[in-house]
Amino acid sequence: MAAACVCILAVGVICYFLFANGLPFFAQYAVSDFISGKEWAPLRGVFGILPMIVGSFVITLGALLLGAPAGVLTAIMMARFSSGKAVRLMKPAVALLAGIPSVVYGFFGLMLLVPFTRSILGGDGLSILVAAILLAIMILPTIIQTSRAAIEAVPNAYYEGSLALGASHESSVFRAILPAARSGIVSGIVLGIGRAIGETTAVLMVAGNQARLPTSLLKGVRALTVNVLLEMGYAADLHRASLIATGVILFVIVMAVNIIFSFYNRRRVLQ
Amino acid sequence: MSVRSGSGKSRITVDISLPTRKRTPWGPVLLKWLCWLAGVMTMGVLMLIVLYILVNGVPEFFFRDENGALQFKDQLFALKYNSKNLSMFPAIINTLLMTALSLLFSVPLGVGGGIYLAEYAKPGSKLVKVIRVTAETLTGIPSIIYALFGMLVFVVTLGIGISMLAGALTLGTMTLPLILRQTEESLLGVPMSYREGSYGLGAGKLRTTLRIVLPVAMPGILAAVLLSIGRISGETAALIFTSGTGTRIAGLYDSGRTLAVHLFKLQEEGRAVGASFAVAVVLLAVVVLMNALSVYIAGKLTTKG
């Protein structure tokens, strides 16, 4: 029954192959030039992924600004401010939102959101703004489900105690329950960040994918993930290695987010 | 007036209004309405997506013939794809094949691993901790990294080539942690008394696990499998460089596109919007079906337990 060890094996193999194929690139191309280079011109042998790092960062931040408040508030509403009927309707709805494939999200964005922003705000519509809105929708269910579980796990005594002190229902929810559920809510948001950074297909379809530093929200941008998917099909030699190295950087970023978060969590538990 | 409770740094501050102040503080009430607004928005967004796809997609399955009668567009389900009929039939078969192959890999390993963790491993041992951490890591890895992993390991190093098998192995790895964790949790949820009763009747460990504990935990495991089916049929990024974009019904060692990849390719090639909408409808239907099934099974679980 050591089938469980396959997990360890899988992580080991993923790390090994990713690094074994990605790191040799850095022997030929300095890491600092790779990360801080503003120009991506693989045909001329110039590999700078700063625009992609900034791109991933900007759309993730945008998605978070839009999606996190909406998600947390929805979770509070589902947990504390609604009748059983509304929750019975919303639970499967959120699960459905989580299950819609990213390619369908991308298609929806491309068909509806892109022309919409094009006609209202100008530009060509394939933009940071649309990518951020789409990602915000995609991370909603992750944030809602985790936050809701956290809010419902808060002992009812907190709420009752607050009521007994004379606070209203609303005050009790926001001042007594919410602070107690904080770490769970943060973990939901971190999961959302992970999903937003890692999203590929949907972003590729709506973000325009120009590999340059963005100057406005209506300009297109290329994410790290998109860089790999877009060029892997025809890349060779150093160009191919540079894409795998992009994957390594992405992997390191995702792991860093997770590790920072788990330290944060452990500190809270110890307290 | 404010009352403080709790200890240490994590103080909980509770503002309460004295009876003399009749007015309830308006801040929390405002927040409450914001909550409702957010909830309604979430539902609205879902409605918008689903309705938009359905309204634009469902008519694509039909056309009007010369007499104006409504006919089913069966060319969308022609046996072979070509640039004229844009048939999604091969992609549907490939999706089924891909799902079956991936599950063939991830279900035995995931369920086996889950049983080991829940029933056999010493709780709190180093190995268990490492497995948990790695399973969590696997869940957090973006699908494009799985794409690189699948391409480097299965396609290139093991020499399988761009094929359904390579794609299935990649997706199998991707869904493994989901099934493993869910199996473990469902097994841990089975009351100890079931096991004790079985031991009391003289059954051994293996018999108890397989005959008593596993059947009780089955709904939870099935829910995880359904969730995995949803993920497999919706995956694009991890498949493009592992199982490729072949347009025919694929064998084990052939390149073949699943429905999601089909939709992606149609868009990339700038092909007919109508056919894309039709594919989106089918994909959406798969997700709805899987969700409904898992809700149904979860419902069974709660009525039984």
Side-chain angles (χ1 to χ4, degrees):
Chain A
M1 287 298 173
C5 293
V6 173
C7 265
I8 305 179
L9 185 75
V11 171
V13 171
I14 290 178
C15 287
Y16 174 74
F17 274 89
L18 206 58
F19 284 98
N21 286 281
L23 291 184
F25 171 76
F26 294 126
Q28 297 179 45
Y29 203 90
V31 185
S32 52
D33 290 348
F34 186 58
I35 293 178
S36 63
K38 287 182 190 150
E39 197 185 3
W40 174 262
L43 293 178
R44 283 190 284 120
V46 181
F47 305 101
I49 60 164
L50 186 66
M52 286 73 140
I53 296 178
V54 172
S56 279
F57 180 74
V58 169
I59 53 177
T60 303
L61 188 71
L64 219 56
L65 286 179
L66 293 170
V72 173
L73 288 175
T74 305
I76 300 172
M77 177 237 164
M78 284 174 77
R80 288 287 166 179
F81 288 134
S82 62
S83 60
K85 228 184 216 164
V87 173
R88 261 202 300 281
L89 191 72
M90 284 182 78
K91 251 171 83 174
V94 174
L96 185 61
L97 211 51
I100 295 178
S102 52
V103 65
V104 174
Y105 274 113
F107 182 63
F108 165 77
L110 191 64
M111 287 289 128
L112 191 68
L113 297 180
V114 168
F116 187 71
T117 45
R118 188 188 299 145
S119 65
I120 295 216
L121 297 169
D124 65 355
L126 297 163
S127 57
I128 297 176
L129 184 69
V130 174
I133 294 174
L134 200 61
L135 277 182
I137 299 174
M138 294 179 70
I139 63 174
L140 261 183
T142 315
I143 295 178
I144 294 175
Q145 284 166 341
T146 321
S147 308
R148 184 168 156 260
I151 293 169
E152 284 181 350
V154 174
N156 223 16
Y158 285 41
Y159 171 72
E160 284 160 2
S162 171
L163 276 190
L165 289 170
S168 66
H169 172 61
E170 290 86 7
S171 295
S172 306
V173 170
F174 288 106
R175 304 248 164 94
I177 294 181
L178 216 51
R182 195 174 73 188
S183 83
I185 293 174
V186 171
S187 78
I189 293 175
V190 171
L191 282 176
I193 295 178
R195 191 162 178 201
I197 295 181
E199 184 47 51
T200 320
T201 321
V203 175
L204 186 147
M205 289 168 88
V206 300
N209 308 326
Q210 295 91 333
R212 54 173 149 70
L213 286 169
T215 48
S216 106
L217 279 182
L218 297 175
K219 289 272 160 62
V221 76
R222 184 187 288 191
L224 282 169
T225 50
V226 172
N227 195 33
V228 180
L229 187 61
L230 215 52
E231 300 190 358
M232 201 45 139
Y234 59 84
D237 305 329
L238 197 61
H239 184 195
R240 184 170 176 275
S242 78
L243 295 179
I244 298 172
T246 309
V248 172
I249 300 290
L250 179 70
F251 187 70
V252 170
I253 293 176
V254 171
M255 285 301 117
V257 170
N258 281 339
I259 289 169
I260 291 169
F261 167 65
S262 70
F263 269 117
Y264 164 83
N265 242 6
R266 197 165 301 158
R267 226 189 53 219
R268 276 193 64 85
V269 169
L270 286 179
Q271 274 178 5
Chain B
M1 176 192 160
S2 89
V3 175
R4 284 173 175 272
S5 68
S7 61
K9 268 193 174 172
S10 57
R11 249 173 226 287
I12 295 163
T13 314
V14 184
D15 270 348
I16 55 165
S17 42
L18 290 172
T20 46
R21 239 175 70 198
K22 277 275 158 61
R23 199 165 55 87
T24 48
W26 57 270
V29 177
L30 184 74
L31 277 173
K32 175 184 150 178
W33 290 113
L34 275 180
C35 282
W36 271 95
L37 184 71
V40 171
M41 252 170 56
T42 304
M43 291 299 281
V45 164
L46 175 71
M47 288 301 216
L48 179 68
I49 294 174
V50 172
L51 286 181
Y52 182 74
I53 300 280
L54 287 185
V55 166
N56 286 290
V58 172
E60 291 300 329
F61 289 101
F62 304 98
F63 70 100
R64 291 199 179 276
D65 60 10
E66 307 89 67
N67 310 323
L70 220 51
Q71 295 275 348
F72 188 68
K73 217 187 259 181
D74 47 9
Q75 59 167 14
L76 275 177
F77 296 95
L79 208 55
K80 281 205 172 108
Y81 166 95
N82 57 47
S83 55
K84 226 170 158 197
N85 66 13
L86 300 173
S87 165
M88 66 170 104
F89 184 73
I92 292 177
I93 301 298
N94 287 344
T95 309
L96 292 177
L97 184 64
M98 180 63 75
T99 309
L101 278 174
S102 308
L103 290 180
L104 207 63
F105 176 68
S106 62
V107 168
L109 284 176
V111 172
I115 292 176
Y116 171 76
L117 284 183
E119 304 289 328
Y120 288 89
K122 250 187 248 143
S125 76
K126 264 254 159 59
L127 183 69
V128 174
K129 266 187 201 150
V130 174
I131 292 174
R132 279 226 180 95
V133 170
T134 48
E136 236 162 72
T137 312
L138 279 181
T139 337
I141 293 178
S143 57
I144 190 76
I145 303 280
Y146 278 105
L148 286 177
F149 155 74
M151 191 190 77
L152 293 172
V153 177
F154 301 124
V155 176
V156 177
T157 308
L158 294 182
I160 304 176
I162 290 186
S163 62
M164 295 296 279
L165 184 61
L169 287 170
T170 310
L171 290 192
T173 319
M174 206 163 113
T175 48
L176 175 64
L178 191 90
I179 295 178
L180 183 106
R181 293 290 298 273
Q182 187 68 41
T183 304
E184 189 198 351
E185 259 162 47
S186 320
L187 288 175
L188 289 178
V190 177
M192 214 50 205
S193 58
Y194 284 39
R195 299 186 182 86
E196 283 154 3
S198 173
Y199 294 146
L201 291 170
K205 178 105 190 167
L206 186 66
R207 198 186 180 86
T208 305
T209 304
L210 293 183
R211 285 287 181 77
I212 307 292
V213 183
L214 206 55
V216 179
M218 213 32 136
I221 299 172
L222 273 180
V225 172
L226 288 172
L227 218 65
S228 305
I229 295 178
R231 272 192 83 175
I232 294 167
S233 48
E235 185 54 52
T236 28
L239 286 180
I240 288 176
F241 304 124
T242 51
S243 67
T245 56
T247 53
R248 270 175 298 175
I249 297 176
L252 209 52
Y253 292 100
D254 303 328
S255 154
R257 52 171 73 170
T258 63
L259 265 180
V261 178
H262 183 54
L263 174 55
F264 182 72
K265 278 316 251 191
L266 282 180
Q267 276 308 299
E268 203 185 47
E269 293 160 2
R271 288 271 168 72
V273 171
S276 306
F277 268 116
V279 176
V281 169
V282 176
L283 273 174
L284 208 57
V286 171
V287 176
V288 172
L289 188 72
M290 289 305 139
N291 267 316
L293 269 177
S294 76
V295 168
Y296 172 74
I297 289 173
K300 255 191 159 172
L301 174 72
T302 44
T303 49
K304 253 191 189 169

